[in-house]
């Protein structure tokens, strides 16, 4: 339960993916864990996500999904499109999950796209989803205090609340909050897609829905939402600069007083090395050596790497895209292999990075493993079995793997950006530094910067006492959602206060 006594709020969260149902990246972890954390604080929480039905059908361990019997229709540019609503109870929580079913839009092989890129009708699919969210709230009489939107797929919702739904019963007091998980994905589409939004053409202007000649759904959310958040304090500052704002920094500077950076937490029940059912041996901060050694041996065997307890094993679990610093890894790979380390990669993404890693593994089978695919159990086993974890990102709004790795006693090597800078403390080689250090952080996005951090890490690896301290420091850190959930609730109250004062002004 929350440490702060709060009046329970009716919160509706909207996201395009959420664990345990559908996941392609960190958004899913956050949408699921925040839902649970807010409900644990005593709030009435409903999470609304699309129902990519085939993707959940053979998944083990999911809660039962039921039909609500509710149907709704949205006019998509003159075409009536009907959706249905399924529901489930969020696991170990009082929160409800509503799954928006629309077979033509959501019964696909992946949530967003296939090998050829994003689906051609993504703007239509997610305009439909965004328009479904307030419509379902209306039909189910949810009367939300706060509608919390996440990323461009839900960016239209704050605009709808301020226009079509402004006068509708049940939305009089509803405040909107827009969370940016990644400025690099904005949902920018041909301007004629305005016709799918249900918004008046008058809003197609640079103060509202248009950016650089396109309809921009992230911008729409940022322009209309009462409060804005992003997933770390450092990223909140970075996106207000031309370097980090991906073309929307002007708007963000204008709205800076409404913007808060809140570091993500992690689901400490799911990511707990002492109880994780996906690990061959459990371990905790006080007895990590034996359990972690067994996890490492198991991982080396599973991946076909040489069985060698004393060889540093470096892991990486990632979407394989430019953001994640794969060009640095490519550039430093042969130097790394000369240092007699092992590398374990798990990821999917751009074809060129997939083949680069596959190729590396083929040429060095005892030293490098590359599993190209999405594998939840292997992700946990790499977090637990590796000694070091790589996240040399170009930019990183928050990043979750560096937190998972610290909790699993795996020392992260990260670049000093976004949430990585906010969650990893650099070991500078001094006894004072060792008191709090949890990893290795480098500033320059360059092969020299990255190699220096790797060298520092490998030299710390030689000293068992230093290593033990780094591992224990990381494992003892508190990554629970509690504090972050309290911060979101504070933001919700700021958003509600704004709505109340707007209403009061309108009454005058
Ligand atoms: P991002 O959201 O930018 O991809 P994050 O670090 O926030 O980065 O979150 C990524 C999440 O997705 C983590 O939970 C990570 O373990 C998981 N993940 C990424 N790629 C894979 C994969 N190939 N298999 C299993 N899990 C993966
Ligand atoms: C995005 C970001 C990542 C962040 C995640 C969850 O996918 O790339 O840094 O951790 O969202 O907020």
């Amino acid at each position: 339960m929350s440490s702060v006594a709060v009046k329970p709020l009716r919160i509706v969260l909207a996201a395009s993916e959420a664990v345990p149902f559908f996941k392609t990246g960190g958004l899913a972890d956050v949408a699921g864990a925040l839902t649970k954390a807010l409900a644990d604080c005593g709030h009435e929480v409903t999470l609304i996500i699309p129902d990519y039905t085939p993707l959940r059908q053979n998944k083990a361990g999911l809660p039962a999904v039921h039909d609500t019997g509710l149907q709704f229709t949205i006019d998509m540019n003159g075409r009536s499109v009907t959706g249905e609503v399924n529901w489930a109870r969020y696991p170990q929580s009082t929160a409800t999950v509503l799954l928006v079913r629309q077979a033509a839009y959501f019964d696909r092989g992946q949530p967003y796209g296939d090998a050829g890129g994003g689906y051609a009708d993504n703007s239509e699919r997610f305009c439909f989803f965004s328009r479904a969210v307030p419509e379902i709230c209306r039909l189910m009489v949810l009367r939300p205090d706060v509608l919390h939107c996440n990323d461009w797929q839900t960016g239209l919702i704050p605009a709808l609340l301020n226009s079509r739904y402004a006068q509708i019963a049940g939305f009089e007091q509803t405040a909107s909050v827009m969370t940016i998980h990644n400025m690099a994905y904005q949902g920018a589409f041909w301007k004629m897609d305005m016709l799918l939004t249900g918004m008046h053409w008058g809003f197609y202007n640079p103060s509202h829905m248009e950016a650089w000649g396109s309809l921009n759904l992230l911008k729409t959310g940022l322009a209309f939402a009462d409060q804005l958040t992003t997933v770390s304090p450092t990223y909140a500052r970075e996106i207000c600069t031309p370097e980090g704002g991906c073309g929307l920094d002007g708007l963000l500077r204008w709205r800076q007083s409404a913007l808060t950076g809140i570091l993500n937490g992690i689901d400490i029940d799911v990511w707990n090395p002492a109880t994780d059912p996906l690990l061959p041996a459990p371990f905790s901060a006080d007895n990590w050596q034996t359990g972690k050694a067994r996890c490492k041996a198991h991982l080396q065997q599973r991946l076909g790497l040489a069985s060698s307890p004393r060889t540093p094993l470096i892991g990486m679990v990632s979407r394989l895209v430019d953001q994640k610093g794969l060009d640095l890894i490519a550039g430093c790979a042969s130097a790394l292999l000369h240092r007699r380390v092992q590398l374990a990669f798990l990821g999917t993404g751009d074809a060129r990075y997939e083949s680069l890693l596959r190729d590396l593994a083929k040429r060095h089978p005892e030293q490098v493993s590359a599993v190209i695919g999405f594998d939840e159990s292997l992700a946990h086993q790499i977090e637990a079995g590796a000694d070091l974890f790589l996240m040399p990102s170009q930019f990183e709004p928050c990043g979750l793997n560096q937190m998972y790795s610290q909790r699993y006693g795996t020392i992260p090597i990260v670049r000093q950006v976004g949430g990585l800078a906010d969650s990893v403390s650099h070991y500078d080689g001094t006894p004072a530094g060792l008191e709090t250090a949890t990893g290795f952080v480098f500033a320059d996005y360059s092969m020299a910067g990255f190699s220096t951090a790797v060298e520092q890490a490998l030299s710390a690896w030689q000293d068992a006492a230093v290593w033990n301290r780094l591992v224990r420091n990381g494992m003892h850190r508190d990554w629970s959602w509690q504090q972050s959930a309290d911060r979101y609730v504070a933001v919700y109250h700021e958003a509600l206060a704004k709505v109340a004062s707007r209403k009061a002004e309108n009454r005058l």
Side-chain angles (χ1 to χ4, degrees):
M1 289 292 279
S2 168
S3 48
V4 187
V6 284
K7 172 179 164 282
L9 295 173
R10 280 188 300 269
I11 302 164
V12 171
L13 272 132
S16 56
E17 55 180 277
V19 292
F21 299 92
F22 311 106
K23 168 167 165 175
T24 69
L27 169 63
D29 299 61
V30 173
L34 179 59
T35 293
K36 191 162 119 189
L38 291 167
D40 286 351
C41 294
H43 300 290
E44 203 179 295
V45 188
T46 306
L47 169 66
I48 308 188
I49 54 176
D51 192 351
Y52 312 102
T53 316
L55 299 182
R56 67 172 162 80
Q57 259 157 355
N58 295 319
K59 219 168 161 182
L62 285 188
V65 174
H66 313 274
D67 185 357
T68 59
L70 179 72
Q71 285 201 345
F72 63 93
T73 301
I74 307 278
D75 176 356
M76 299 294 285
N77 189 22
R79 200 163 60 88
S80 290
V81 179
T82 299
E84 287 151 27
V85 184
N86 287 330
W87 77 273
R89 177 75 52 219
Y90 197 86
Q92 281 132 41
S93 170
T94 57
T96 303
V97 186
L98 300 179
L99 299 102
V100 178
R101 183 152 163 65
Q102 210 303 317
Y105 289 145
F106 300 129
D107 285 8
R108 307 261 173 111
Q110 292 295 329
Y112 312 121
D114 51 26
Y119 294 126
D121 58 351
N122 270 350
S123 66
E124 182 171 342
R125 298 169 74 224
F126 290 106
C127 282
F128 175 83
F129 175 64
S130 289
R131 293 179 63 182
V133 170
E135 188 57 11
I136 291 168
C137 292
R138 183 181 75 82
L139 293 168
M140 295 182 84
V141 201
L142 296 182
R143 305 181 76 85
D145 293 310
V146 178
L147 229 158
H148 182 167
C149 310
N150 293 274
D151 276 354
W152 72 263
Q153 293 88 348
T154 57
L156 182 58
I157 298 172
L160 295 168
L161 289 183
N162 276 277
S163 52
R164 305 187 141 227
Y165 285 84
Q167 307 303 330
I168 289 185
F171 294 91
E172 295 86 352
Q173 311 296 333
T174 306
S176 57
V177 173
M178 181 82 218
T179 294
I180 306 158
H181 294 265
N182 198 331
M183 287 300 297
Y185 302 93
Q186 298 186 1
F189 300 106
W190 187 40
K191 75 171 181 187
M192 293 311 286
D193 285 352
M194 269 302 282
L195 296 168
L196 301 168
T197 63
M199 295 288 291
H200 193 275
W201 267 105
F203 289 111
Y204 188 75
N205 66 57
S207 304
H208 295 100
M209 302 179 72
E210 185 255 339
W212 311 110
S214 298
L215 165 66
N216 186 309
L217 294 174
L218 179 62
K219 176 175 186 168
T220 302
L222 300 179
F224 280 96
D226 295 301
Q227 289 294 123
L228 313 178
T229 74
T230 190
V231 289
S232 69
T234 297
Y235 194 61
R237 289 190 295 276
E238 289 169 351
I239 58 179
C240 292
T241 66
E243 299 73 41
C246 300
L248 299 184
D249 47 294
L251 170 63
L252 287 166
R253 279 194 298 280
W254 181 59
R255 297 226 54 198
Q256 206 162 1
S257 63
L259 172 65
T260 313
I262 303 176
L263 194 68
N264 288 330
I266 65 172
D267 187 329
I268 54 171
D269 299 329
V270 173
W271 293 93
N272 180 355
T275 56
D276 189 336
L278 299 170
L279 303 189
F283 58 94
S284 61
D286 300 323
N287 72 344
W288 63 271
Q289 274 94 347
T290 320
K292 212 166 153 60
R294 284 184 49 200
C295 289
K296 180 172 176 177
H298 173 268
L299 184 64
Q300 285 170 325
Q301 194 183 18
R302 174 171 176 180
L303 298 179
L305 297 169
S307 291
S308 168
R310 285 304 305 155
T311 302
L313 173 49
I314 307 182
M316 182 167 187
V317 179
S318 186
R319 290 184 295 119
L320 302 177
V321 294
D322 291 339
Q323 173 190 344
K324 303 293 180 178
L326 290 147
D327 52 345
L328 288 188
I329 290 171
C332 295
S334 43
L336 270 173
L337 293 173
H338 273 109
R339 296 288 275 109
R340 301 194 181 286
V341 301
Q342 292 179 335
L343 297 167
F345 296 104
L346 167 63
T348 51
D350 293 355
R352 68 193 163 116
Y353 292 128
E354 291 186 352
S355 57
L356 182 134
L357 296 181
R358 268 201 196 101
D359 190 52
L360 206 60
K362 211 188 226 164
R363 283 190 285 118
H364 307 274
E366 295 230 308
Q367 244 188 311
V368 183
S369 152
V371 176
I372 304 303
F374 198 92
D375 186 332
E376 197 75 37
S377 97
L378 184 55
H380 283 241
Q381 290 173 12
I382 290 178
E383 291 288 6
D387 302 298
L388 288 149
F389 197 91
L390 295 183
M391 288 185 84
S393 306
Q394 285 177 10
F395 64 91
E396 196 62 72
C398 179
L400 299 172
N401 281 306
Q402 80 282 8
M403 303 191 207
Y404 300 148
S405 69
Q406 288 172 79
R407 190 154 161 82
Y408 280 60
T410 302
I411 306 299
I413 300 176
V414 305
R415 178 142 181 270
Q416 194 178 23
V417 280
L420 300 174
D422 293 339
S423 60
V424 180
S425 308
H426 178 64
Y427 176 48
D428 60 5
T430 67
L434 192 55
E435 304 273 305
T436 51
T438 60
F440 295 87
V441 184
F442 65 100
D444 267 2
Y445 190 79
S446 65
M447 296 215 291
F450 177 51
S451 317
T452 306
V454 171
E455 282 311 317
Q456 289 168 336
L458 293 179
S459 101
W461 163 258
Q462 304 297 333
D463 185 330
V466 166
W467 200 258
N468 183 34
R469 185 61 198 256
L470 292 174
V471 168
R472 287 167 54 94
N473 286 350
M475 292 189 78
H476 280 301
R477 281 231 176 149
D478 178 8
W479 303 111
S480 62
W481 263 100
Q482 187 57 64
Q483 275 184 28
S484 306
D486 286 345
R487 292 201 178 107
Y488 275 105
V489 172
V491 168
Y492 296 159
H493 283 288
E494 288 174 55
L496 283 165
K498 252 187 200 166
V499 172
S501 74
R502 208 165 48 227
K503 299 271 160 184
E505 269 169 33
N506 289 346
R507 274 198 297 273
L508 287 177

